[in-house]
Amino acid sequence: MTALVVAGLSAREMSRRWTALLLLISLPLWFYLVRRDLAGQSTRMLALGIGWAVSTLTLFVVNAARGVDPRLRLSGASVAGIIGGRLIAMTGAGTVLALGYFALAALDQDILHPWAAALMMLVTTLVAAPFGSLVGALLPRELEGALALLSVCAVQMLADPAGLVAKFMPFWAAREIGTYAIDGGPIDMVWRGLGHAALIWLLCTGITLAVFARRLRVARYPEP
């Protein structure tokens, strides 16, 4: 119940910032258009753009809710309910965005395994929401958080996918599954991508819960 209430509050907060929302929705499109002539590059860049947009949107929502979270805790809401509700809202919005852009890519590009391309974009959204939530938990100011997301996405974009650095990046799974979707190869690439995404999701969600559990702990005084 708490999670649904927080999900509704998050969706309401998101809808109020419609200018930022429109800019973030259009962000993946620019990633896609700059490499539209290459099916592999354009599709993978599109996924990275979706990840950047969803994580940035989550960061803004987390920071905007800092004044509301203590009141939710005092009213009896659990930390897991607060974090879970926010992830439900952001993942749901990201899924709609990912499916819309997948339809664009599927119609415009010659994709060898379309189902894997759809999976790549959904996995990116599933990772982006807790990643943005974690950055928001660690960096309470929007400017610092936005710069951190920019740095991570830049490294993700420039790092060699086969190198060690790329494997430590949150959206490496999208590149691994995307390579299978566009160029083909062993199905193990998909499983490796899913395993990496699950690990990143658990890490980001777990650390976010730990940070908020400490920040929103309710003081208990001895009974008189």
Side-chain angles (χ1 to χ4, degrees), residues 179-197:
T179 300
Y180 174 82
I182 304 301
D183 303 325
I187 193 68
D188 290 351
M189 300 174 75
V190 175
W191 291 113
R192 282 198 298 271
L194 291 175
H196 183 274

Side-chain angles (χ1 to χ4, degrees), residues 10 32 41 47 76 83 92 94 104 119 129 153 195-196 210 215:
S10 300
Y32 176 76
Q41 290 289 332
I83 302 301
L104 170 66
L119 180 64
C153 289
H196 183 274
R215 184 176 298 163

